[in-house]
Amino acid sequence: VPVINAYLDGMIRIAFRHNGTVDKVIGDALHIMFGAPVADPDHAANAVACALDIDRFAEAFSQGKREEGIAFGRTRIGVNSGNAIVGNFGGELKFDYTAHGDAINTAARLEGANKYLGTRVCVSGRTVALCPNFFGRPAGLLVLKGKTQPTAVYEPLEDTNIEPAWMAA
């Protein structure tokens, strides 16, 4: 429990630094929203920057735990932009502030797609289109579960991580 809490705490702090709203903690995973409950014109860029920071944190955290002899898996992140229904959902006995809709489902599918793409962070073309300074590489066109049309996906990169030369090109 202390290891998972330290891991989640680090990621939550990063989300808050990027104006993210932590919607849910689901086991060892986080659902983070951008642009709700407060509108943010830079929500897409903040989400990508947050994903890269979480990726750096998670890789360092995992490496540190492995050095301590504690097995710790990989963190995978999916980022998507789109409309969602956001609000308090539930009933008289329990309700939860959350987001629902295709945009949320797509982000979850992108998280899972990392396993097959060999990536850790997967960003949709919709998000990339909203980020004028996006730096990354195309990762493919995927027909995600529940979709009939392919979704363009990208792997964001740190502009310092462009080795070898073919990656820079």
Side-chain angles (χ1 to χ4, degrees):
V1 172
V3 171
I4 294 295
N5 282 340
Y7 170 72
L8 292 169
D9 182 66
M11 293 190 302
I12 290 167
R13 290 175 187 277
I14 292 167
F16 288 167
R17 280 198 306 266
H18 290 281
N19 299 321
T21 299
V22 177
D23 176 9
K24 287 185 183 53
V25 176
I26 306 165
D28 62 353
L30 293 177
H31 176 205
I32 303 168
M33 298 183 291
F34 293 83
V38 178
D40 177 5
D42 296 323
H43 63 87
N46 286 337
V48 172
C50 180
L52 287 169
D53 281 354
I54 285 176
D55 181 57
R56 272 193 307 279
F57 166 80
E59 283 296 295
F61 188 91
S62 181
Q63 179 63 33
K65 292 301 156 199
R66 284 193 297 273
E67 289 170 4
E68 293 175 25
I70 299 170
F72 205 85
R74 293 267 174 181
T75 299
R76 292 187 288 271
I77 302 166
V79 180
N80 184 47
S81 297
N83 293 324
I85 300 170
V86 180
N88 291 317
F89 293 89
E92 286 185 29
L93 300 178
K94 167 89 171 118
F95 67 85
D96 188 25
Y97 180 79
T98 191
H100 291 285
D102 183 63
I104 308 308
N105 295 338
T106 297
R109 304 283 189 266
L110 293 175
E111 180 272 330
N114 283 298
K115 189 183 325 180
Y116 304 102
L117 294 171
T119 55
R120 294 189 307 267
V121 182
C122 193
V123 178
S124 74
R126 289 185 74 176
T127 300
V128 169
L130 296 171
C131 297
N133 297 317
F134 180 83
F135 185 81
R137 69 177 184 95
L141 288 171
L142 304 178
V143 178
L144 301 171
K145 182 178 177 182
K147 303 267 188 192
T148 57
Q149 297 298 311
T151 299
V153 296
Y154 297 81
E155 179 184 26
L157 301 170
E158 303 282 352
D159 58 5
T160 58
N161 294 339
I162 55 174
E163 293 296 328
W166 64 267
M167 185 66 84

